[in-house]
Amino acid sequence: MPGIRGPSEYSQEPSRHPCLKINAKEPFNAEPPRLALISSYVTPTDFFYKRNHGPIPIVDDIERYYFTITGLTDYPKQLFMKDIQNLPKYNVTATLQCAGNRRTAMSQTKTVKGVGWDVAAIGNAVWGGAKLADVLELAGIPHLTSATPSGGKHVEFVSIDKCKEENGGPYKASIPLSQATNPVADVLLAYEMNGETLNRDHGYPLRVIVPGVIGARSVKWLDSINIIAEECQGFFMQKDYKMFPPSVNWDNIDWSTRKPQMDFPVQCAICSLEDFNITSHGKITIKGYAASGGGRGIERVDISIDGGKTWVEASRHQKAGIPYIADGTSSDKWAWVFFEANADIPKSAEIVAKAVDIAANVQPENVETIWNLRGILNTSWHRVQVRVGHSNM
């Protein structure tokens, strides 16, 4: 690809913030500390989780970079950055979450395969760019199109990076054409993150943002867009990121029996406390995040200090000075909410948080009921232990 290349080794990786917890070095996968994650409603770029499947691409000449739109469309296109920047620009506040967020806790029940994430493989950013619906109009595909005349029903995004899972080929994923051409879905081709040009880790020069959907579909370092009849047949659509029941193991798995995961379920996590805590007094503040996929707002976050026997409702907020209403027009529909509750705990306590979205979806109580061999979508009640006393250290 002119102007940009996907290296096959890791000698030219970008620098990263030293506070990140590194879960894998090559490819680089890391998350911020819990407390840092909730220090700001909009996650600073340095603290936004890094999820990669290969070496980070390198831009040699941004003026020469372009991507193509081909496939089942009558008007294939070759577009440069100036073509995208000449379209109306939109800023969309959206939370991205890795499907493997909280995988480490799931693995404690029974070993799973995948990068060991704590609770911070999630972040909220203001993404700036052109709506994909407007970009596809340049290729002759109108807004609100479910199928092209030649049978295209899905939009495949192909990256420039190289992945071992694709035998050295690029990462790829797809979404339905009906979603891609719907301006209300807010799917972006983004060139900015938090008001600044994308950095290399997050997809410079151009990436896809699919709000409300697991992060695996928001392809970085865009190389091409293909209009196709069926879902993308790439590894990460067909042989990964699918939700299986606890009965499925590596001996009896049949990947073809499940659809690729898209929306992420309702989720919350306590971030002001670690898994095990010692405090000198019983008065504590419990803070964290809650989010749900598909643009579903958070109706409630419940907190228990007795392992789930009794509950109180936490306060919820997004932007300072603006009351949060789960389906309100002043709320960011694609973004997380922060929650907060004060508690006076006894000598020891199991603190639990669970969220409910506007469709009354609620997190499952136990991880055992949603265990799956790839360790994705651990949305069970989040539990931390607190003891009042003094550390022996």
Side-chain angles (χ1 to χ4, degrees), residues 81 84-85 87-94 125-132 186-198 202 205-209:
M81 283 299 298
I84 302 304
Q85 292 169 338
L87 290 170
K89 180 189 174 187
Y90 293 87
N91 288 313
V92 175
T93 304
V126 180
W127 307 97
K131 288 199 176 182
L132 179 60
D186 287 332
V187 182
L188 294 183
L189 294 191
Y191 46 81
E192 288 183 1
M193 180 180 182
N194 295 341
E196 299 180 346
T197 301
L198 285 172
H202 294 292
L206 196 64
R207 71 168 299 168
V208 183
I209 295 294

Side-chain angles (χ1 to χ4, degrees), residues 14 16 20 30 43-52 56 96 125 127 190-194 197-209 218-221:
R16 282 100 176 193
L20 293 177
T43 310
T45 303
D46 282 350
F47 290 165
F48 208 98
Y49 76 98
K50 321 297 181 192
R51 177 66 174 116
N52 298 300
I56 306 301
L96 292 188
W127 307 97
Y191 46 81
E192 288 183 1
M193 180 180 182
N194 295 341
T197 301
L198 285 172
N199 69 18
R200 286 179 59 202
D201 262 327
H202 294 292
Y204 177 73
L206 196 64
R207 71 168 299 168
V208 183
I209 295 294
S218 290
V219 175
K220 297 182 281 189
W221 313 294

